[in-house]
Amino acid sequence: MHINVIGAGLAGCEAAFQSAQRGLKVYLYEMKPQKKTPAHKSDTFSELVCSNSLKADRVESAAGMLKEEMRVMNSLLMECADQCRVPAGGALAVDRDKFSAMVTDRIRNHPNIQVVEKEVLNLDEFIQDKDGITVIASGPLTSESLSKSIQEKFGGALSFFDAAAPIVSAESIDMEHAFTASRYGKGDGDDYINCPMNKEEYENFHRELVNAERAPLHDFDVNNPKVYEGCMPIEIMAQRGEDTIRFGPMKPVGLRDPKTGHRPWAVLQLRKENALGSMYNLVGFQTNLKFPEQKRVFGLIPALKNAEYYRYGVMHRNTFLNSPKILNSDYSAREYPNLFFAGQMTGVEGYMESASSGLLAGMNAARRALGMETLTMPETSMTGALSRYISCPEVEKFQPMGANLGVLPPLENRPRDKKERAAAYAYRGLEDIEKFLSLSGENFKPANIQK
Ligand SMILES: Cc1cc2nc3c(=O)[nH]c(=O)nc-3n(C[C@H](O)[C@H](O)[C@H](O)COP(=O)(O)OP(=O)(O)OC[C@H]3O[C@@H](n4cnc5c(N)ncnc54)[C@H](O)[C@@H]3O)c2cc1C
């Protein structure tokens, strides 16, 4: 048996390395240098297309916890990132050229990896490859022909554009200024949290919203007609008139504020985002505002004054699967057990999240090729929680997700202090993942925890 990996990005390089380290012959297909996506510029692998920051490094944070789990699991990308770091306060930032060159060098010189420089146009040959297991890691800007082939195989369950509303933590919503109810009393009472505003609050909010600073769009986003159709950003809709959003996503009809006994002037509804009820989505608030502006302007809604954001709203091109209907938590496809997916395509979001899914997909592809059971990490670990989040069959309206503490199961003894809480989540997850790896016979390094 051999392993095919499509795409030498963050997920693909990590997947190829993990399979190769387990003794399998790996064919890594990459369309560079002949063809590049609109965001990729260099000829090297694992290119960081935008920021050079891999986010927080402190183990006692969601992003730091994920990175430490990857170190525990012998991640190639973490090893290279640690060697290419540049000063960035509490974040792990890297010299992007050095990082990408180092990953490329390790991949090209691995005795078990053969790089195949060509664009993969179709999945058929991989589905028919009876001696191979394939990991598809062609990223958010997967080339057109391959996207089409994936779409055909998976019944059209592929999105090409991410127009997402922000997601906030349930515990940060000020319930003194909010109430649970569904419109006209229909459905489950606690499915929605309503954030009412009076006339003065609404007018102030509206003024700030239309004047707030927006994020620049890439050329390939500006030219995408979907940006301003179907999923119009809230700030663009607000520009059409002072009352437009009050008759749209913020309409107060069918709702009565129990505190005043009246219908509010305007209402933002928050909808439960996950089964745990730890995250809520701002309904109809897809936005292209800069992240600090989202916090400032949406914070003018009284219930969101101190809201903690698990994910900010974004509007950009992003190819991702409807994974809850397609993937298992080991990143294999339900319909095609010899196909695995990895990276941003699966609906994990971010550089290291993509790499971590590549790590698991590469490890599991190798395990399947060797006739071993595939593994899903414990739900208390960030890698395990993310793989469960993207593959949870109950999720209706799937949106990509990065590492955050809201995807983890609640703590038994939950510290009140935020920092202590983050530490408790991280230590629990890292201890569980070490125990799990030790029982499953996988090689691992002990976590670097300094309590
Ligand atoms: C414009 C943009 C900016 C982003 N900025 C950030 C950021 O600042 N921070 C962050 O954390 N995340 C960011 N992301 C999100 C995400 O983390 C990155 O896109 C990340 O690179 C995803 O990793 P990946 O391995 O899934 O895909 P990629 O790293 O994109 O790798 C995919 C690889 O597949 C190759 N490929 C594509 N199609 C084919 C084909 N048909 N045949 C062969 N090879 C193919 C590509 O050339 C590429 O090398 C950004 C995404 C985009 C699109």
Side-chain angles (χ1 to χ4, degrees), residues 7 9-11 30-31 40 50-51 120 138-140 143 146 343-344 350-351 354:
L10 294 155
E30 169 56 53
M31 65 180 188
H40 287 85
C50 189
S51 164
V120 172
S138 44
S143 72
L146 180 59
Q344 188 94 353
Y351 293 147
S354 294

Side-chain angles (χ1 to χ4, degrees), residues 186-404:
K186 288 181 187 158
D188 274 349
D190 67 348
D191 281 352
Y192 286 94
I193 291 179
N194 301 284
C195 309
M197 296 174 99
N198 62 29
K199 187 166 186 286
E200 196 186 342
E201 287 161 346
Y202 174 79
E203 284 170 0
N204 180 38
F205 168 72
H206 181 270
R207 197 171 39 250
E208 293 299 321
L209 178 62
V210 293
N211 291 316
E213 212 183 328
R214 298 172 193 172
L217 288 169
H218 292 271
D219 286 352
F220 47 89
D221 289 334
V222 174
N223 296 328
N224 189 324
K226 259 184 108 182
V227 174
Y228 295 121
E229 280 169 22
C231 48
M232 185 182 286
I234 190 76
E235 61 275 13
I236 303 283
M237 198 188 289
Q239 252 174 2
R240 296 189 164 179
E242 197 179 77
D243 284 329
T244 309
I245 55 173
R246 212 167 66 76
F247 287 97
M250 298 194 82
K251 62 180 179 286
V253 294
L255 293 169
R256 205 162 282 281
D257 186 343
K259 286 215 180 63
T260 62
H262 297 302
R263 185 161 96 178
W265 186 253
V267 170
L268 162 66
Q269 287 204 300
L270 307 177
R271 187 179 47 229
K272 229 187 242 175
E273 182 65 24
N274 60 344
L276 288 173
S278 55
M279 310 184 210
Y280 276 80
N281 183 301
L282 280 62
V283 181
F285 267 42
Q286 56 270 15
T287 177
N288 190 42
L289 295 188
K290 287 193 162 173
F291 293 174
E293 286 290 81
Q294 293 186 32
K295 197 171 169 59
R296 179 182 72 80
V297 177
F298 302 152
L300 297 170
I301 300 170
L304 298 187
K305 188 159 177 257
N306 298 312
E308 185 192 344
Y309 288 76
Y310 281 148
R311 185 194 198 219
Y312 285 103
V314 288
M315 310 225 40
H316 58 201
R317 202 180 134 194
N318 188 14
T319 312
F320 64 98
L321 293 164
N322 187 7
S323 297
K325 304 279 177 285
I326 292 174
L327 297 185
N328 296 309
S329 58
D330 60 4
Y331 289 101
S332 63
R334 287 182 209 154
E335 261 188 74
Y336 301 93
N338 283 2
L339 285 190
F340 286 76
F341 281 87
Q344 188 94 353
M345 273 224 128
T346 65
V348 295
E349 184 165 85
Y351 293 147
M352 284 299 117
E353 288 83 346
S354 294
S356 83
S357 71
L359 192 158
L360 294 182
M363 177 184 84
N364 280 330
R367 288 182 68 98
R368 179 149 296 159
L370 296 168
M372 297 161 84
E373 224 185 307
T374 60
L375 302 176
T376 301
M377 295 301 130
E379 60 177 352
T380 48
S381 65
M382 194 54 77
T383 29
L386 281 173
S387 72
R388 281 175 175 79
Y389 178 84
I390 60 109
S391 61
C392 173
E394 285 99 63
V395 171
E396 286 292 322
K397 206 172 167 292
F398 180 60
Q399 286 296 340
M401 184 66 71
N404 72 75

